[in-house]
Amino acid sequence: MDAFYASVELLRYPQLKGLPVVIGGGRRKEDDLLGRLAVAYPGQSWGTENLADIPVDFFPRLAGYTGRGVITTATYAARQFGVGSAMGLMKAAKLCPDAILLPVDFEQYRHYSRRFKSIITDIAPLMENRGVDEVYIDFTDVPGGQRDGGRVLARLIQKTIFEDTGLTCSVGVAPNKLIAKMASEFNKPNGISIVHEADLQTLIWPLACRKINGIGPKADEKLQQHGIRTIGDLAARDPIWLKAHFGKAYGAWLHEAAWGRDERPVSLESEPVSMSRETTFEKDLHAVRDRQTLGQIFTRLCEQVAADLQRKGYEGKTIGIKLRYDNFKSVTRDQTLDLYTADPATIRQVAGQCLKRVDLSRRLRLLGVRVGSLVKQGTAPAEGQPNKTSETPDLDPQAQLLFTDE
DNA sequence: TCTGGGGTCCTAGGACCC
DNA sequence: TCTGGGGTCCTAGGACCC
């Protein structure tokens, strides 16, 4: 989907079309549009039917943003200013102070996500979810899937989604997922791109290695150090050399990817492995000095993850925590139980034990709670032998007591 | 002016078992 | 007088993705 979050917001606020808009960030009072409208226009009620009447000048701007949020999506107009996904909003505010800032509304995005996905599965049932705004589709056995190299079906999907939701998407058609993903980037927004096996050298090899789904910033940096910048450069390397420098499995995969080879099937629904909740604080907190605040946040995270599990019908037996220190270093601790659970009190208790095994003398910027090793509720395998645990000793007992046992 | 939240998968060492 | 070999599970960290 093209600029998905932003495009969904533009459905509600069409008056913002063509303007630089970014979605993201923590909530500020100024971001509470409806609250501000109630003050500015007393007696008028604002609902789905007249949101389009809100004057553009009324929307909050990026200028003066002071929180720790990042951009999740920017409209194409905003991208002109050099702002984009994952950029800190403070930095974005320097680049484009007049951009309109809207808070994220996952509820709404999930709603449109379900809608466009159900349109797709009506047309082509073999669909794989790749998050809220992206899917892989296997056209192979869909009637008409081969017409004009897949272009006919791609167009049908685009048209049907647009007519139902008003949203546009970009489609890449290729012999496998790896190339299709790259192809989908060629013609954004609202484009279709078809890449055949024979187009590898002309269309794929000139691209930066980073365009391969699976080569991130770290691998790219290392590749560049060896003079490998394009996928063609990568394809030219001896696979034995790649394995020696990048590890057996990853080296072999790099070679295959550069040659456009990918045998992964388009797979239908898969079971979740873990669920988690985490939060970055407005300001760094200290285990001792901010003990009460941290205790409340910690309990809330446990309750939220328990509620998520129960709502979706899962329970897990590995309970873990994650901290991020003021220096941005993260640590995790987890513990596996003999029993599966989705109970907030149990999660709170075990997560509290995990907290005792980390250094709490540094200030914290993030706290998270995770439950893993999930099974569908009621299908928990029989209780096994007691766990073999590799003991990690408790640290800094003084600091621990202060908020872990609240 | 620092850097969200929710995930998956991989690696590597140690415990433990046969 | 020198320490097997294979397998699984647990834990921690990290890369990567949307």
Side-chain angles (χ1 to χ4, degrees), chain A residues 219 222-223 226 238-256:
Chain A
K222 196 170 157 187
L223 286 165
H226 288 103
D238 182 354
I240 294 167
W241 183 90
L242 286 171
K243 282 184 241 183
H245 284 83
F246 291 88
K248 217 174 105 170
Y250 195 61
W253 176 81
L254 284 173
H255 177 73
E256 291 297 294

Side-chain angles (χ1 to χ4, degrees), chain A residues 114-130:
Chain A
R114 281 191 291 269
R115 267 171 68 173
F116 90 77
K117 286 175 185 176
S118 98
I119 287 165
I120 292 171
T121 51
D122 282 349
I123 295 170
L126 202 47
M127 183 193 79
E128 175 179 333
N129 270 312
R130 291 290 291 179

Side-chain angles (χ1 to χ4, degrees), chain A residues 244-280:
Chain A
H245 284 83
F246 291 88
K248 217 174 105 170
Y250 195 61
W253 176 81
L254 284 173
H255 177 73
E256 291 297 294
W259 283 87
R261 296 194 278 259
D262 175 22
E263 298 290 311
R264 294 169 303 162
V266 171
S267 58
L268 297 159
E269 211 48 59
S270 54
E271 288 295 315
V273 171
S274 70
M275 291 185 198
S276 65
R277 287 289 189 131
E278 65 184 53
T279 186
T280 295

